[in-house]
Amino acid sequence: MAHPEGKYIWTATVGEKGQIVIPKQAREIFGINPGDTLILLGDVNRGIAIPPKTSFAEYFKRAFNGKEDE
């Protein structure tokens, strides 16, 4: 099945301790390495998102400057 370029979908199983394993292909594509810190964003209606680590600066800027989405 073909998918749009740059778009992916994976599954992950939640373990007994609430941990998930990010699939190897996803880690490679997004440059996620052991010891990296990830940010998880949650919305009760839309779910959980794990944005790329390059987005951290913008999220922190908005959070600590008190600015809402523009």
Side-chain angles (χ1 to χ4, degrees):
M1 180 174 168
H3 59 80
E5 186 175 336
K7 305 288 183 181
Y8 303 91
I9 185 168
W10 297 281
T11 62
T13 302
V14 179
E16 291 181 25
K17 295 182 180 181
Q19 299 169 323
I20 62 168
V21 174
I22 299 171
K24 181 181 179 186
Q25 183 185 31
R27 294 190 315 265
E28 290 173 346
I29 290 169
F30 293 101
I32 300 169
N33 298 298
D36 283 354
T37 299
L38 304 176
I39 187 169
L40 283 86
L41 305 175
D43 180 294
V44 294
N45 295 316
R46 296 177 68 190
I48 295 173
I50 307 173
K53 55 188 169 185
T54 55
S55 303
F56 285 10
E58 183 61 28
Y59 290 116
F60 289 134
K61 178 181 173 185
R62 288 184 183 192
F64 291 111
N65 288 336
K67 294 183 181 179
E68 295 186 11
D69 280 334
E70 297 171 7

